[in-house]
Amino acid sequence: MVYLKDKPQYVDIDVDFKPLPKYGHLSEKTPEFLAAEPAVNAAHDQLWALPDFPAFRQAAGDPDAVMPPGGPDRYREITTELLQFPTRDGHLIELKVYKSPNVAPDATLVYRMHGGGHVVGRHEVDGAENVYAATNPNIVVVSVDYRLAPEFPFPIPVYDCYDGLLWCKKNAKTLGINPEKIILAGSSAGANRAAVLAIMARDDGITGVIGQVLHFPAVCHPKFLPRGKYEFGSYIQNAENCVLSAVRLEAFLDAYNPNPEPDHRHSPLLATSHANLPPALIQCAGVDILRDEAFAYAEALEAAGVEVEMYGYQGVPHCFPAVLPTHPSTPVFYKRYNAFLKKHATSSGR
């Protein structure tokens, strides 16, 4: 089976812990999550019982994401297309394009980096979010199938995504997008990548990034959490979460970055400056070890003068819209996501 530590290494979970004042109350589970938790736990246990991450990937596959009740009909309301681009080392990476049949010219690009702990997953990990975004005729979604750890550790996946972003800008006419209207988006490990690319684009003078969508973001390696500056209780409080426990997160992190050093390319919270970054939508889950770093990143952005919409959902686990599609908070999550995209996405048709 995939190697897991006996207990987390990067945070002391044996301390006499009491829920912290700002966000600790968000860990009180909702009745809907409590009812679903045994089945969710069993499904994740099956994957973690596999011998290694390649077997994990094969079992997970990349089936079309199931849309939540009342969501769009992905087979009627959008079309998809597969493309490829060469990275800086010549490796060909797949892109999946999602768009409306009625897409407007010069649409806004939503550049999507999928979740999966840096080691598993492909486009459809975040497929529901991609479909929701693509039903907006002012948006073209491009999802990048970056290379995965441990075969391709940090920083290779970062530069795969960065090279894909540059390729999209250079091939804007082919994609039907405005290269100066780009929203970076991701969930979990993909949100990490989206936050990192926003910083890299700013530092390198890459223009056109007008927004960032960070869902359930991992924004700081737990070894380097600035505990004196922000509230960090969720790593201990939610260490046994069935979707993403502390030891499972550390298995992902150790595969991705086995010898971590402070670096904003894997921990964007550590960037020397968060000024002049694009407006951000951050959504996190209350019963998630990553909860408090999401709030910390919102605080860091706001302190630097960045416009932030921050929402935390009480009583639900990491990536809950995919795990609990019928939960009452799921349509609220998508409503806020769609509203942020509508606010920032334009085309020549508008």
Side-chain angles (χ1 to χ4, degrees):
M1 62 183 293
V2 176
Y3 171 73
L4 294 175
K5 302 168 184 175
D6 293 332
K7 65 178 184 178
Q9 174 186 350
Y10 299 119
V11 174
D12 182 5
I13 64 167
D14 295 328
V15 297
D16 183 17
F17 178 79
K18 294 187 173 99
L20 298 181
K22 283 186 179 179
Y23 313 120
H25 66 284
L26 294 174
S27 287
E28 184 178 349
K29 298 174 184 177
T30 66
E32 295 85 357
F33 180 31
L34 285 169
E37 192 171 16
V40 173
N41 191 50
H44 283 79
D45 282 349
Q46 286 185 343
L47 291 172
W48 284 95
L50 294 169
D52 51 31
F53 284 127
F56 196 137
R57 285 178 215 140
Q58 185 174 4
D62 194 42
D64 286 353
V66 176
M67 303 305 296
D73 183 339
R74 63 177 298 152
Y75 301 111
R76 292 178 179 270
E77 297 183 47
I78 67 153
T79 64
T80 61
E81 177 186 10
L82 298 178
L83 302 173
Q84 288 185 322
F85 75 92
T87 62
R88 62 190 63 196
D89 64 1
H91 184 81
L92 288 177
I93 296 283
E94 183 180 272
L95 300 172
K96 187 170 184 178
V97 181
Y98 302 71
K99 60 186 176 183
S100 165
N102 303 312
V103 66
D106 300 318
T108 297
L109 169 65
V110 171
Y111 185 66
R112 164 69 60 169
M113 288 142 282
H114 67 77
H118 310 287
V119 302
V120 298
R122 297 189 67 226
H123 310 290
E124 289 295 324
V125 168
D126 297 329
E129 289 188 35
N130 296 340
V131 170
Y132 269 103
T135 59
N136 183 330
N138 294 312
I139 287 174
V140 171
V141 178
V142 175
S143 170
V144 55
D145 188 24
Y146 56 85
R147 286 174 283 183
L148 299 171
E151 297 91 333
F152 300 98
F154 171 83
I156 294 171
V158 175
Y159 287 108
D160 284 352
C161 293
Y162 193 64
D163 292 350
L165 174 63
L166 299 181
W167 185 91
C168 288
K169 282 180 68 71
K170 290 177 182 176
N171 292 272
K173 287 186 178 180
T174 299
L175 295 171
I177 61 160
N178 181 341
E180 299 304 310
K181 291 279 188 176
I182 300 169
I183 298 172
L184 303 172
S187 180
S188 192
N192 169 279
R193 213 100 55 229
V196 167
L197 259 63
I199 294 168
M200 292 174 65
R202 178 201 64 186
D203 292 349
D204 292 348
I206 303 301
T207 61
V209 179
I210 61 167
Q212 51 184 325
V213 173
L214 311 178
H215 288 158
F216 318 101
V219 293
C220 191
H221 192 288
K223 185 176 180 179
F224 309 116
L225 291 171
R227 294 176 179 83
K229 191 171 183 180
Y230 305 103
E231 180 174 293
F232 287 115
S234 57
Y235 204 91
I236 300 173
Q237 191 175 21
N238 301 324
E240 298 300 325
N241 178 260
C242 63
V243 176
L244 185 64
S245 70
V247 292
R248 288 174 178 176
L249 173 67
E250 292 193 10
F252 283 146
L253 291 175
D254 292 346
Y256 177 55
N257 195 359
N259 298 295
E261 297 292 339
D263 190 325
H264 71 267
R265 293 174 301 165
H266 64 69
S267 296
L269 185 60
L270 303 180
T272 55
S273 172
H274 296 97
N276 302 312
L277 291 174
L281 169 67
I282 303 177
Q283 301 199 81
C284 71
V287 195
D288 187 355
I289 55 177
L290 303 179
R291 179 194 71 210
D292 289 356
E293 60 192 85
F295 280 107
Y297 202 61
E299 290 179 37
L301 292 176
E302 287 178 331
V306 177
E307 177 187 335
V308 179
E309 293 182 37
M310 176 72 219
Y311 303 104
Y313 296 83
Q314 181 261 325
V316 289
H318 185 69
C319 293
F320 72 87
V323 178
L324 304 172
T326 61
H327 193 281
S329 291
T330 294
V332 180
F333 172 93
Y334 285 120
K335 182 179 180 180
R336 287 167 169 165
Y337 171 57
N338 291 335
F340 181 87
L341 296 180
K342 183 178 180 181
K343 177 180 177 181
H344 293 280
T346 59
S347 66
S348 63
R350 281 184 57 187

PDB file of all heavy atoms in Angstrom, residues 13 47 71 85 88 96 105 115 123 133 143 147 189 193 208 244 255 276 278 282 316:
ATOM      1  N   ILE A  13       0.772  16.953  16.627  1.00  0.00           N
ATOM      2  CA  ILE A  13      -0.659  16.783  16.890  1.00  0.00           C
ATOM      3  C   ILE A  13      -0.918  16.245  18.297  1.00  0.00           C
ATOM      4  O   ILE A  13      -2.077  16.030  18.678  1.00  0.00           O
ATOM      5  CB  ILE A  13      -1.321  15.856  15.848  1.00  0.00           C
ATOM      6  CG1 ILE A  13      -0.752  14.446  15.932  1.00  0.00           C
ATOM      7  CG2 ILE A  13      -1.204  16.435  14.451  1.00  0.00           C
ATOM      8  CD1 ILE A  13      -1.578  13.427  15.168  1.00  0.00           C
ATOM      9  N   LEU A  47      -8.666   3.470  -2.105  1.00  0.00           N
ATOM     10  CA  LEU A  47      -7.612   4.029  -2.941  1.00  0.00           C
ATOM     11  C   LEU A  47      -6.261   4.012  -2.220  1.00  0.00           C
ATOM     12  O   LEU A  47      -5.232   3.667  -2.813  1.00  0.00           O
ATOM     13  CB  LEU A  47      -7.973   5.457  -3.353  1.00  0.00           C
ATOM     14  CG  LEU A  47      -9.148   5.595  -4.324  1.00  0.00           C
ATOM     15  CD1 LEU A  47      -9.539   7.054  -4.495  1.00  0.00           C
ATOM     16  CD2 LEU A  47      -8.798   4.982  -5.682  1.00  0.00           C
ATOM     17  N   GLY A  71     -27.480  21.176 -11.781  1.00  0.00           N
ATOM     18  CA  GLY A  71     -26.349  21.734 -12.513  1.00  0.00           C
ATOM     19  C   GLY A  71     -26.541  21.643 -14.009  1.00  0.00           C
ATOM     20  O   GLY A  71     -27.517  21.060 -14.497  1.00  0.00           O
ATOM     21  N   PHE A  85       0.629  20.890 -26.169  1.00  0.00           N
ATOM     22  CA  PHE A  85       1.652  21.927 -26.311  1.00  0.00           C
ATOM     23  C   PHE A  85       2.972  21.369 -25.797  1.00  0.00           C
ATOM     24  O   PHE A  85       2.992  20.482 -24.927  1.00  0.00           O
ATOM     25  CB  PHE A  85       1.273  23.206 -25.546  1.00  0.00           C
ATOM     26  CG  PHE A  85       1.443  23.094 -24.059  1.00  0.00           C
ATOM     27  CD1 PHE A  85       2.631  23.476 -23.442  1.00  0.00           C
ATOM     28  CD2 PHE A  85       0.420  22.615 -23.261  1.00  0.00           C
ATOM     29  CE1 PHE A  85       2.795  23.364 -22.074  1.00  0.00           C
ATOM     30  CE2 PHE A  85       0.565  22.511 -21.889  1.00  0.00           C
ATOM     31  CZ  PHE A  85       1.766  22.879 -21.290  1.00  0.00           C
ATOM     32  N   ARG A  88       9.056  23.406 -21.925  1.00  0.00           N
ATOM     33  CA  ARG A  88      10.424  23.889 -22.172  1.00  0.00           C
ATOM     34  C   ARG A  88      11.421  22.756 -22.394  1.00  0.00           C
ATOM     35  O   ARG A  88      12.453  22.968 -23.039  1.00  0.00           O
ATOM     36  CB  ARG A  88      10.876  24.761 -21.001  1.00  0.00           C
ATOM     37  CG  ARG A  88      10.937  24.069 -19.657  1.00  0.00           C
ATOM     38  CD  ARG A  88      11.153  25.058 -18.532  1.00  0.00           C
ATOM     39  NE  ARG A  88      10.034  25.995 -18.429  1.00  0.00           N
ATOM     40  CZ  ARG A  88      10.084  27.135 -17.748  1.00  0.00           C
ATOM     41  NH1 ARG A  88      11.187  27.461 -17.092  1.00  0.00           N
ATOM     42  NH2 ARG A  88       9.039  27.936 -17.704  1.00  0.00           N
ATOM     43  N   LYS A  96      -7.212  20.276 -22.155  1.00  0.00           N
ATOM     44  CA  LYS A  96      -8.618  19.995 -22.462  1.00  0.00           C
ATOM     45  C   LYS A  96      -9.365  21.319 -22.459  1.00  0.00           C
ATOM     46  O   LYS A  96      -9.360  22.051 -21.467  1.00  0.00           O
ATOM     47  CB  LYS A  96      -9.226  19.032 -21.443  1.00  0.00           C
ATOM     48  CG  LYS A  96     -10.645  18.580 -21.809  1.00  0.00           C
ATOM     49  CD  LYS A  96     -11.117  17.433 -20.915  1.00  0.00           C
ATOM     50  CE  LYS A  96     -12.475  16.913 -21.337  1.00  0.00           C
ATOM     51  NZ  LYS A  96     -12.918  15.755 -20.509  1.00  0.00           N
ATOM     52  N   PRO A 105     -16.572  35.734 -29.309  1.00  0.00           N
ATOM     53  CA  PRO A 105     -15.176  35.961 -29.710  1.00  0.00           C
ATOM     54  C   PRO A 105     -14.386  36.641 -28.594  1.00  0.00           C
ATOM     55  O   PRO A 105     -14.941  37.381 -27.777  1.00  0.00           O
ATOM     56  CB  PRO A 105     -15.300  36.884 -30.934  1.00  0.00           C
ATOM     57  CG  PRO A 105     -16.723  36.788 -31.368  1.00  0.00           C
ATOM     58  CD  PRO A 105     -17.527  36.488 -30.151  1.00  0.00           C
ATOM     59  N   GLY A 115      -6.791  19.509  -9.164  1.00  0.00           N
ATOM     60  CA  GLY A 115      -6.323  19.016  -7.879  1.00  0.00           C
ATOM     61  C   GLY A 115      -5.865  17.568  -7.958  1.00  0.00           C
ATOM     62  O   GLY A 115      -5.894  16.945  -9.015  1.00  0.00           O
ATOM     63  N   HIS A 123      -7.898  16.153 -15.836  1.00  0.00           N
ATOM     64  CA  HIS A 123      -8.804  17.275 -16.063  1.00  0.00           C
ATOM     65  C   HIS A 123     -10.097  17.184 -15.253  1.00  0.00           C
ATOM     66  O   HIS A 123     -10.582  18.178 -14.721  1.00  0.00           O
ATOM     67  CB  HIS A 123      -9.168  17.373 -17.540  1.00  0.00           C
ATOM     68  CG  HIS A 123      -8.011  17.354 -18.471  1.00  0.00           C
ATOM     69  ND1 HIS A 123      -7.119  18.398 -18.571  1.00  0.00           N
ATOM     70  CD2 HIS A 123      -7.586  16.402 -19.363  1.00  0.00           C
ATOM     71  CE1 HIS A 123      -6.202  18.109 -19.486  1.00  0.00           C
ATOM     72  NE2 HIS A 123      -6.463  16.903 -19.973  1.00  0.00           N
ATOM     73  N   ALA A 133     -18.077  26.856 -15.489  1.00  0.00           N
ATOM     74  CA  ALA A 133     -17.435  28.042 -16.072  1.00  0.00           C
ATOM     75  C   ALA A 133     -17.693  28.134 -17.565  1.00  0.00           C
ATOM     76  O   ALA A 133     -17.972  29.221 -18.100  1.00  0.00           O
ATOM     77  CB  ALA A 133     -15.938  28.006 -15.790  1.00  0.00           C
ATOM     78  N   SER A 143      -7.892  23.347 -19.363  1.00  0.00           N
ATOM     79  CA  SER A 143      -7.332  22.576 -18.264  1.00  0.00           C
ATOM     80  C   SER A 143      -6.027  21.941 -18.710  1.00  0.00           C
ATOM     81  O   SER A 143      -5.938  21.388 -19.810  1.00  0.00           O
ATOM     82  CB  SER A 143      -8.324  21.491 -17.830  1.00  0.00           C
ATOM     83  OG  SER A 143      -7.726  20.571 -16.930  1.00  0.00           O
ATOM     84  N   ARG A 147       2.514  17.178 -15.554  1.00  0.00           N
ATOM     85  CA  ARG A 147       3.136  15.944 -15.089  1.00  0.00           C
ATOM     86  C   ARG A 147       3.084  15.841 -13.569  1.00  0.00           C
ATOM     87  O   ARG A 147       3.048  16.855 -12.867  1.00  0.00           O
ATOM     88  CB  ARG A 147       4.583  15.867 -15.593  1.00  0.00           C
ATOM     89  CG  ARG A 147       4.683  15.550 -17.073  1.00  0.00           C
ATOM     90  CD  ARG A 147       6.106  15.621 -17.584  1.00  0.00           C
ATOM     91  NE  ARG A 147       6.542  17.012 -17.769  1.00  0.00           N
ATOM     92  CZ  ARG A 147       7.729  17.351 -18.266  1.00  0.00           C
ATOM     93  NH1 ARG A 147       8.612  16.406 -18.597  1.00  0.00           N
ATOM     94  NH2 ARG A 147       8.041  18.635 -18.434  1.00  0.00           N
ATOM     95  N   ALA A 189      -4.391  21.115  -4.715  1.00  0.00           N
ATOM     96  CA  ALA A 189      -3.063  21.294  -5.296  1.00  0.00           C
ATOM     97  C   ALA A 189      -3.108  22.204  -6.511  1.00  0.00           C
ATOM     98  O   ALA A 189      -2.156  22.935  -6.794  1.00  0.00           O
ATOM     99  CB  ALA A 189      -2.468  19.934  -5.673  1.00  0.00           C
ATOM    100  N   ARG A 193      -1.106  25.784  -7.358  1.00  0.00           N
ATOM    101  CA  ARG A 193      -0.465  26.142  -8.613  1.00  0.00           C
ATOM    102  C   ARG A 193      -1.006  27.470  -9.151  1.00  0.00           C
ATOM    103  O   ARG A 193      -0.253  28.282  -9.691  1.00  0.00           O
ATOM    104  CB  ARG A 193      -0.714  25.012  -9.619  1.00  0.00           C
ATOM    105  CG  ARG A 193       0.395  24.803 -10.574  1.00  0.00           C
ATOM    106  CD  ARG A 193       1.344  23.699 -10.309  1.00  0.00           C
ATOM    107  NE  ARG A 193       0.845  22.388 -10.140  1.00  0.00           N
ATOM    108  CZ  ARG A 193       1.192  21.592  -9.120  1.00  0.00           C
ATOM    109  NH1 ARG A 193       1.999  22.036  -8.191  1.00  0.00           N
ATOM    110  NH2 ARG A 193       0.750  20.369  -9.027  1.00  0.00           N
ATOM    111  N   GLY A 208      -2.073  40.334 -18.280  1.00  0.00           N
ATOM    112  CA  GLY A 208      -3.366  39.755 -18.620  1.00  0.00           C
ATOM    113  C   GLY A 208      -4.025  38.929 -17.545  1.00  0.00           C
ATOM    114  O   GLY A 208      -5.172  38.501 -17.732  1.00  0.00           O
ATOM    115  N   LEU A 244      -9.013  14.078   3.448  1.00  0.00           N
ATOM    116  CA  LEU A 244      -7.593  14.421   3.406  1.00  0.00           C
ATOM    117  C   LEU A 244      -7.080  14.532   4.838  1.00  0.00           C
ATOM    118  O   LEU A 244      -7.193  15.584   5.462  1.00  0.00           O
ATOM    119  CB  LEU A 244      -7.373  15.736   2.656  1.00  0.00           C
ATOM    120  CG  LEU A 244      -5.918  16.146   2.448  1.00  0.00           C
ATOM    121  CD1 LEU A 244      -5.177  15.149   1.569  1.00  0.00           C
ATOM    122  CD2 LEU A 244      -5.825  17.550   1.853  1.00  0.00           C
ATOM    123  N   ALA A 255       6.027  13.079  -1.689  1.00  0.00           N
ATOM    124  CA  ALA A 255       6.221  12.603  -3.061  1.00  0.00           C
ATOM    125  C   ALA A 255       6.542  13.767  -3.989  1.00  0.00           C
ATOM    126  O   ALA A 255       7.373  13.654  -4.897  1.00  0.00           O
ATOM    127  CB  ALA A 255       4.976  11.868  -3.538  1.00  0.00           C
ATOM    128  N   ASN A 276      -0.024  43.776  -5.768  1.00  0.00           N
ATOM    129  CA  ASN A 276      -0.237  43.809  -7.224  1.00  0.00           C
ATOM    130  C   ASN A 276      -0.583  42.440  -7.806  1.00  0.00           C
ATOM    131  O   ASN A 276      -0.271  42.155  -8.963  1.00  0.00           O
ATOM    132  CB  ASN A 276       0.990  44.389  -7.929  1.00  0.00           C
ATOM    133  CG  ASN A 276       1.319  45.788  -7.439  1.00  0.00           C
ATOM    134  OD1 ASN A 276       0.446  46.642  -7.351  1.00  0.00           O
ATOM    135  ND2 ASN A 276       2.580  46.014  -7.092  1.00  0.00           N
ATOM    136  N   PRO A 278      -3.795  39.708  -8.731  1.00  0.00           N
ATOM    137  CA  PRO A 278      -5.165  39.924  -9.195  1.00  0.00           C
ATOM    138  C   PRO A 278      -6.191  39.612  -8.112  1.00  0.00           C
ATOM    139  O   PRO A 278      -5.909  38.892  -7.146  1.00  0.00           O
ATOM    140  CB  PRO A 278      -5.286  38.942 -10.368  1.00  0.00           C
ATOM    141  CG  PRO A 278      -4.302  37.866 -10.063  1.00  0.00           C
ATOM    142  CD  PRO A 278      -3.156  38.551  -9.387  1.00  0.00           C
ATOM    143  N   ILE A 282     -11.546  32.947  -2.822  1.00  0.00           N
ATOM    144  CA  ILE A 282     -11.031  31.828  -2.030  1.00  0.00           C
ATOM    145  C   ILE A 282     -12.216  31.184  -1.322  1.00  0.00           C
ATOM    146  O   ILE A 282     -12.967  31.853  -0.616  1.00  0.00           O
ATOM    147  CB  ILE A 282      -9.974  32.289  -1.003  1.00  0.00           C
ATOM    148  CG1 ILE A 282      -8.825  33.019  -1.698  1.00  0.00           C
ATOM    149  CG2 ILE A 282      -9.457  31.106  -0.206  1.00  0.00           C
ATOM    150  CD1 ILE A 282      -7.771  33.570  -0.746  1.00  0.00           C
ATOM    151  N   VAL A 316     -18.102  20.839   6.590  1.00  0.00           N
ATOM    152  CA  VAL A 316     -17.955  20.007   5.391  1.00  0.00           C
ATOM    153  C   VAL A 316     -16.473  19.748   5.122  1.00  0.00           C
ATOM    154  O   VAL A 316     -15.608  20.498   5.565  1.00  0.00           O
ATOM    155  CB  VAL A 316     -18.610  20.670   4.160  1.00  0.00           C
ATOM    156  CG1 VAL A 316     -20.126  20.642   4.285  1.00  0.00           C
ATOM    157  CG2 VAL A 316     -18.134  22.111   3.985  1.00  0.00           C
TER     158      VAL A 316
END
